[in-house]
Amino acid sequence: MTAQNSDKPDLAASSEQAVNETNVADFGPHTGTKAADIVERPADMERGVAGKLSTWTLLVVIMELCERFAYYGASLMFNIYLQTMLGRSKSSAVVLIRVNQFMSYATTILGAIIADQFLGKYKTIVVFAVVYMIGLVVLTISSTDFAINGGFGLAGFCIAVFGFIGFGTGGIKSNVSSFMAEQIPVGYKQTGTPGVYEDSKLTTERGFRYFYWSINVGAFAGMLACPQVAKNKSYALAFMIPTIMFFLGILAFIGGTKRYTKKQPQGTVLIKVWKCMRYARAHKHEGQLHWLDSSRDARDQEWNNEFVIGLQRSLRACKVFLFYPLYWSVYGNMTDLLINQGLTMQRPKWLSVDQLNVINSLVLIVAIPVFDNYVFPLLWRMGFKMGPIVRITTGFAIAMGGFIYVTILQKIIYTQGPYYDFTGPNVPANATNDISVWLQIVPYAVVAISEIFTSVTGLEFAFSQAPAELKSVLTAVFLFTNCGGSLIGMVLGIWSSDPQVLYVFAAQTIILGVLAVVFYFCFRHYDAMVAEQEQFN
């Protein structure tokens, strides 16, 4: 890639000045106003280990667990609910689900701006949680027999999901993970072993992994319970359960109010970014390694060199994030196209086919602690340090392997009777072929493993590359890439019926494979740059 050298900021040349100009807590892969026992790396340090997460950090994690219970518990039922209760076709249900996903991530940018410029992360999370709660209440009311029979079912669904829940979850998403990380004290802490120290960077990595673990505990519980309640009782009761669970999560989050580290809003940071970029363009000169270098050492400006270096890293991260939408498009198939595939397969009467999504969450619940405690430490001790680009590429490749399986499985379904590709005459609406739905376990599990490498790393990368003022914004930009995946899903939803869906699976798989190769060769040099950044920090 020709931009390789121009992307790399001259960290060594400005390292001493940057350290003098900025608080260590605001530089590098972690931030916060708390400090650990030792801020600078100890001279006798041989090895770093992750520390324990504080009670107040865990309260944020619990809130996210409850929110994900509400989101996945409710949204997983949308596909079958729209088709069976509101009379939508398969393709229109897929489109509505992808619109919901789009709204949930499009509003992350709004949440980040409000947090960074006006309210701060804590207040923003609380405000959007209230909006979210209103949406869940409206969704529950609109799913009652009285509302559906009165013609309010679809209207209430759209108001609740697109008007309230989408805004609520987006505003929370862009702030809650970085707010969790800000509760981790920055620096090093002695352990009982000479030369071994707790390293806040490793603790932050652990925090993100367990944050993601909590997401999947909540999702697992919600996806396990809610569809069964809908199947055996009613959708109104099934939607009421996520509403109550989220209310409990809000109470838990508010419980730590007095103990949280709360950063005050920094003001109009996006205007500051624009001014910095405009200054760099106006003062561009020969010999620059990066086009923003000309904004360093600027006199009488509101930024310092550390901010410029952080902005360079943030722009570099944005290039990485451009490759995520297709991955999210493939990932999103679990909530629509894979469910539709399962509806064409033989299954036990007690099973609601959308519940197979619990396999994804269950694998993550088990795998994240295994990777955190055994796999990644073992690789580290063996000298194999997987940088973010290698991890993300690995995740893309694993997801591609999972959907090679899905494509082959779809082809096999069409070779089985009695309805084959479901295009013959007199095919009933609930037609199934003679093939077991349990064959779908494999892709749900494989995609889960890919998330450990791709999704978790993306969150961590967004947090680590941004300066303190831009952490919520860059996290929101990463989450916003889901919108691209949802848009792709909306377009592909046109061909989501049988037998065209086979070609949708095949096309997504091939393109993701090509994307993984291109991604690695475009950005593989970033791993060395991140390693240099971490060593410098």
Side-chain angles (χ1 to χ4, degrees):
M1 185 175 177
T2 57
Q4 176 172 343
N5 292 331
S6 63
D7 283 344
K8 182 174 181 179
D10 186 9
L11 287 174
S14 61
S15 61
E16 182 177 354
Q17 182 175 3
V19 168
N20 291 334
E21 288 181 352
T22 183
N23 187 309
V24 175
D26 288 337
F27 192 87
H30 40 262
T31 186
T33 56
K34 297 178 181 178
D37 293 352
I38 306 169
V39 174
E40 297 183 357
R41 181 185 176 95
D44 65 336
M45 180 174 172
E46 299 175 1
R47 181 167 61 91
V49 296
K52 294 182 179 180
L53 301 177
S54 69
T55 302
W56 319 115
T57 305
L58 293 176
L59 283 177
V60 183
V61 172
I62 289 171
M63 191 267 193
E64 180 65 6
L65 184 154
C66 294
E67 188 275 329
R68 291 292 86 184
F69 180 105
Y71 181 83
Y72 283 105
S75 64
L76 184 64
M77 298 185 288
F78 289 170
N79 195 342
I80 296 177
Y81 174 69
L82 286 165
Q83 293 182 49
T84 60
M85 301 299 293
L86 301 184
R88 302 295 98 187
S89 65
K90 280 186 178 180
S91 57
S92 64
V94 168
V95 171
L96 286 170
I97 290 167
R98 294 298 178 124
V99 172
N100 167 52
Q101 294 171 356
F102 178 86
M103 289 295 300
S104 296
Y105 290 96
T107 51
T108 57
I109 300 293
L110 175 64
I113 292 173
I114 291 175
D116 285 346
Q117 298 187 26
F118 302 107
L119 299 180
K121 293 183 181 68
Y122 173 78
K123 290 182 180 178
T124 301
I125 292 171
V126 172
V127 168
F128 278 94
V130 172
V131 173
Y132 195 148
M133 190 70 195
I134 294 172
L136 288 171
V137 171
V138 173
L139 178 63
T140 302
I141 294 172
S142 69
S143 64
T144 61
D145 291 339
F146 176 79
I148 293 175
N149 294 334
F152 184 66
L154 183 59
F157 175 86
C158 293
I159 292 170
V161 173
F162 307 145
F164 289 95
I165 295 176
F167 277 91
T169 190
I172 293 172
K173 275 178 180 293
S174 56
N175 294 290
V176 68
S177 62
S178 55
F179 185 74
M180 177 276 300
E182 288 177 358
Q183 309 312 309
I184 297 173
V186 176
Y188 304 89
K189 185 177 181 180
Q190 290 180 322
T191 66
T193 305
V196 178
Y197 288 80
E198 290 184 5
D199 183 343
S200 61
K201 175 189 174 295
L202 298 178
T203 307
T204 301
E205 290 180 3
R206 166 171 284 180
F208 276 109
R209 279 194 286 271
Y210 278 91
F211 179 85
Y212 205 77
W213 180 83
S214 75
I215 288 175
N216 288 281
V217 170
F220 173 80
M223 292 188 294
L224 189 65
C226 296
Q228 278 297 318
V229 174
K231 182 180 179 67
N232 297 302
K233 297 296 182 179
S234 70
Y235 275 100
L237 182 59
F239 285 130
M240 184 185 298
I241 294 172
T243 305
I244 295 172
M245 190 69 176
F246 186 54
F247 178 73
L248 295 176
I250 295 173
L251 292 181
F253 182 71
I254 294 175
T257 300
K258 295 182 179 180
R259 300 298 298 271
Y260 291 138
T261 294
K262 301 174 194 170
K263 290 201 164 197
Q264 296 301 313
Q266 306 270 335
T268 53
V269 66
L270 295 181
I271 294 178
K272 181 178 177 179
V273 168
W274 178 73
K275 289 180 179 178
C276 183
M277 290 180 172
R278 185 180 65 173
Y279 183 94
R281 289 295 187 189
H283 296 81
K284 187 177 180 180
H285 55 79
E286 294 183 2
Q288 295 180 190
L289 293 177
H290 191 284
W291 65 274
L292 278 172
D293 285 346
S294 54
S295 61
R296 294 192 191 183
D297 301 318
R299 295 183 178 180
D300 302 323
Q301 299 296 334
E302 56 187 300
W303 61 84
N304 55 21
N305 285 358
E306 187 273 332
F307 180 83
V308 176
I309 293 172
L311 182 56
Q312 290 172 337
R313 293 200 308 262
S314 299
L315 293 176
R316 193 167 69 221
C318 288
K319 293 180 182 180
V320 171
F321 298 157
L322 287 174
F323 282 73
Y324 268 81
L326 186 66
Y327 173 80
W328 293 129
S329 174
V330 171
Y331 173 86
N333 288 333
M334 292 193 300
T335 60
D336 44 49
L337 296 187
L338 278 184
I339 292 175
N340 287 341
Q341 183 188 70
L343 288 170
T344 66
M345 305 170 75
Q346 293 288 338
R347 57 193 180 276
K349 291 183 179 180
W350 57 264
L351 178 70
S352 180
V353 71
D354 47 7
Q355 283 189 294
L356 285 178
N357 273 268
V358 304
I359 300 297
N360 176 270
S361 295
L362 182 60
V363 170
L364 281 165
I365 291 168
V366 174
I368 286 178
V370 171
F371 274 81
D372 180 61
N373 292 299
Y374 301 104
V375 177
F376 289 133
L378 177 62
L379 292 173
W380 184 274
R381 286 194 295 270
M382 293 173 61
F384 187 68
K385 301 176 181 179
M386 296 183 71
I389 301 305
V390 171
R391 278 181 280 162
I392 294 169
T393 305
T394 301
F396 286 166
I398 292 172
M400 178 195 69
F403 272 81
I404 289 175
Y405 179 96
V406 169
T407 305
I408 295 172
L409 178 60
Q410 189 66 53
K411 180 65 176 177
I412 293 174
I413 291 172
Y414 289 156
T415 64
Q416 304 298 305
Y419 299 104
Y420 300 99
D421 64 358
F422 305 97
T423 58
N426 302 318
V427 176
N430 58 349
T432 60
N433 281 341
D434 294 329
I435 184 169
S436 174
V437 76
W438 298 119
L439 291 172
Q440 283 196 316
I441 289 176
V442 174
Y444 284 111
V446 171
V447 171
I449 299 299
S450 80
E451 291 176 65
I452 297 175
F453 291 91
T454 302
S455 186
V456 176
T457 303
L459 275 174
E460 179 190 323
F461 193 62
F463 187 78
S464 69
Q465 297 305 293
E469 298 165 90
L470 284 173
K471 289 192 183 294
S472 284
V473 172
L474 192 59
T475 299
V477 169
F478 169 68
L479 294 172
F480 187 78
T481 60
N482 281 269
C483 293
S486 298
L487 288 173
I488 294 171
M490 285 183 219
V491 174
L492 295 179
I494 299 172
W495 299 282
S496 60
S497 298
D498 297 303
Q500 296 94 335
V501 71
L502 172 65
Y503 304 105
V504 172
F505 286 141
Q508 286 181 308
T509 304
I510 293 170
I511 296 172
L512 184 60
V514 173
L515 190 79
V517 175
V518 174
F519 175 83
Y520 178 73
F521 282 100
C522 284
F523 300 117
R524 56 182 174 173
H525 61 288
Y526 280 12
D527 278 348
M529 296 164 68
V530 172
E532 179 185 354
Q533 170 195 333
E534 292 175 353
Q535 184 178 8
F536 167 61
N537 290 337

